[in-house]
Amino acid sequence: MIVVRLALEERGQSDISGAFSLHREDIDMRLLRSVLAGTTAFCAAGAVAAAELEVTHWWTSGGEAAAVTEFAKAFNEGTEHTWVDGAIAGGGSTARPIMVSRITGGDPMHATQFNHGRQAEELVEAGLMLDLTDLAEAEGWTDFIHPASLLDSCTLDGRIYCVPVNIHSWQWLWLSHKAYEDAGLDVPSNWGEFIDTAPQLIEAGKVPLAMGQQPWQTAGAFGVLATAIAGVDTWAKVTIDKDASVAAGPEYAKVFQAAAQARELSKDSNVQDWNLATAMVINGQAGGQIMGDWAQGEFAIAGKVAGEDYTCLPGLGVHELISTAGDAFYFPKQDDPEIEAAQLELASTMLSKTAQVAFNLKKGSLPVRGDVDLAAANDCMKKGLAILAEGNIIPSGDQSFSADTATQLEDLMVEFWNDLSMSAEEVQEIYADIIADAD
Ligand code: BGC
């Protein structure tokens, strides 16, 4: 429930007769727009100009496309505006520089994806993003967005500049039942068993660990190994406190050894895109993949059932936790009040209960609101929800590192993963140097 009148009163507009106590799903977007435009003329709020909004994102795999279609549908059907899809292929590392250069170069899209965290920080600081604070207050976002860190990542100097749309966690190992059956093995229940059974998988002609070549994949997998092998406290000293001595120390040495092992086990993957690596797990060519839970969208679209065709191990089956990574939408300023009103309607739509459920079920992510019905969640999503309820969450690297530091770490991992002659000790030394200068 939200009480619209409170928001109006805060804006000094208490001249409206009657209280407006409404479920947010019931709020007519035009009414809401009217609230935000500071008008009390609710009856006249029907005249809204239809706008076409270009929305950029990097959701191009089968599961991702199915999920983003739910947002487009909710916007097209629930408002008089039109979603113009601006998908950029190649993943986040390719898409983000394009998005940033369009925004800074004077050709901004109307809405765009970034990961939760600091990727758009400089754009916000430069005053290029629409301020969503009034909308957030009118709709009571702080009351239902959970965990609060998601909205914190959208907030700068007390103002809100983005809409978190999901919680995606990097912390998963996806295992192929077919691959293990073919090799006459039980499906591993943790990273140690995964490593121990890898030689038999290789003998059976399988690639133990599927790994694509997009730069972000190895960096993400490294972060997952770090929490599983070094433990959350040690990971936090490096990633949150940016303690270079811990990054250079013995606990992290074990993480780099594990990464070298993972590199060896993945060297025959020969795929570029993350979803092609997931496909290797789906069709039994590979034993497993360390990947965020967006992988679930691929299993779903291939008709695979969690627990029957594949197993998902949060925290690599070592420490059950999830990271609060994920996606948020920003709305670059347009200097056009009608477009701005439509942008706010899109922001509101993305957070509506129906869109949150429809989108996240297809995306494999958890909704950002705890007050939605997720009866249709599959086994893996249920595991994620239980971990979230227990509060076993950590921030994502993107929430902690600046975009510049994240890129340096990503580049280093690409080098390490591609150059088999680079030792665990060598990469650890360079990693620790980056942490020493990290912001
Ligand atoms: C995003 C996911 C997306 C994945 C692969 C991540 O950065 O958070 O939504 O599915 O990249 O494209």
Side-chain angles (χ1 to χ4, degrees):
M1 294 276 271
I2 70 158
V3 181
V4 173
R5 192 166 77 172
L6 288 181
L8 294 167
E9 280 170 357
E10 269 171 29
R11 295 173 59 88
Q13 294 163 0
S14 49
D15 55 330
I16 296 169
S17 58
F20 292 85
S21 179
L22 304 170
H23 287 284
R24 73 172 302 285
E25 296 297 310
D26 297 329
I27 295 174
D28 184 305
M29 293 297 183
R30 288 163 298 180
L31 174 77
L32 182 61
R33 192 175 80 105
S34 172
V35 172
L36 293 162
T39 172
T40 57
F42 286 157
C43 299
V48 173
E52 293 191 347
L53 296 195
E54 185 200 3
V55 188
T56 54
H57 56 83
W58 59 87
W59 289 329
T60 54
S61 75
E64 291 174 328
V68 73
T69 299
E70 294 294 339
F71 272 156
K73 207 164 85 183
F75 187 57
N76 291 341
E77 290 173 3
T79 74
E80 37 292 278
H81 310 300
T82 308
W83 172 293
V84 178
D85 201 72
I88 301 173
S93 320
T94 305
R96 280 191 299 274
I98 298 172
M99 291 160 171
V100 171
S101 76
R102 279 194 53 188
I103 297 166
T104 53
D107 177 26
M109 64 299 285
H110 302 107
T112 191
Q113 174 197 9
F114 281 106
N115 290 123
H116 294 320
R118 301 180 57 191
Q119 289 172 353
E121 194 172 77
E122 289 174 12
L123 300 172
V124 173
E125 281 166 355
L128 295 169
M129 296 300 191
L130 190 62
D131 184 336
L132 308 175
T133 315
D134 288 354
L135 175 67
E137 283 174 0
E139 295 193 335
W141 290 5
T142 49
D143 299 339
F144 62 78
I145 292 183
H146 173 74
S149 57
L150 299 177
L151 207 51
D152 292 346
S153 287
C154 288
T155 307
L156 194 83
D157 297 333
R159 309 296 295 175
I160 294 170
Y161 293 93
C162 67
V163 185
V165 297
N166 59 10
I167 304 169
H168 260 318
S169 174
W170 251 108
Q171 307 283 328
W172 298 87
L173 176 61
W174 305 90
L175 295 165
S176 166
H177 287 200
K178 178 171 178 355
Y180 285 94
E181 264 160 39
D182 288 354
L185 294 165
D186 288 340
V187 177
S189 59
N190 57 49
W191 181 249
E193 289 177 15
F194 175 80
I195 294 292
D196 291 347
T197 50
Q200 287 150 278
L201 270 190
I202 294 171
E203 251 170 59
K206 310 285 178 188
V207 176
L209 187 66
M211 177 68 76
Q213 291 295 309
Q214 287 161 311
W216 55 273
Q217 295 184 49
T218 46
F222 179 80
V224 179
L225 285 169
T227 52
I229 309 285
V232 174
D233 293 345
T234 307
W235 169 87
K237 282 185 195 140
V238 173
T239 309
I240 299 173
D241 304 340
K242 299 167 183 128
D243 186 332
S245 66
V246 178
E251 292 308 312
Y252 253 54
K254 292 183 205 153
V255 180
F256 286 97
Q257 293 296 347
Q261 224 168 2
R263 176 179 65 176
E264 180 64 26
L265 297 180
S266 67
K267 67 179 184 335
D268 293 324
S269 296
N270 291 329
V271 287
Q272 177 74 14
D273 295 354
W274 68 271
N275 51 308
L276 297 183
T278 309
M280 292 174 71
V281 179
I282 291 174
N283 65 30
Q285 220 184 319
Q289 181 187 23
I290 298 175
M291 184 48 62
D293 46 11
W294 44 89
Q296 276 195 88
E298 303 309 298
F299 286 103
I301 218 155
K304 301 296 177 192
V305 179
E308 283 178 26
D309 302 309
Y310 66 100
T311 287
C312 53
L313 295 179
L316 306 189
V318 183
H319 301 294
E320 292 216 339
L321 56 88
I322 59 171
S323 54
T324 49
D327 305 291
F329 276 80
Y330 292 76
F331 301 84
K333 278 188 187 160
Q334 304 286 331
D335 197 21
D336 177 335
E338 293 199 333
I339 294 284
E340 195 171 298
Q343 288 173 307
L344 294 175
E345 289 188 46
L346 178 55
S348 183
T349 301
M350 287 174 155
L351 277 179
S352 72
K353 287 183 184 175
T354 40
Q356 275 290 301
V357 172
F359 168 77
N360 283 301
L361 282 178
K362 294 212 167 138
K363 190 71 177 64
S365 41
L366 307 178
V368 297
R369 28 190 322 156
D371 56 353
V372 291
D373 179 11
L374 280 180
N378 73 15
D379 276 7
C380 294
M381 221 166 162
K382 283 186 182 137
K383 283 187 194 174
L385 286 166
I387 295 172
L388 183 65
E390 282 157 19
N392 286 337
I393 55 172
I394 55 169
S396 70
D398 290 318
Q399 285 171 306
S400 179
F401 293 128
S402 69
D404 181 44
T405 301
T407 306
Q408 288 179 48
L409 293 174
E410 206 170 272
D411 290 347
L412 176 63
M413 282 302 146
V414 172
E415 193 185 340
F416 172 64
W417 232 271
N418 283 311
D419 179 358
L420 293 179
S421 72
M422 190 176 193
S423 70
E425 293 75 20
E426 278 172 276
V427 68
Q428 181 173 10
E429 205 180 314
I430 306 172
Y431 190 95
D433 285 347
I434 296 175
I435 295 297
D437 292 336
D439 58 355

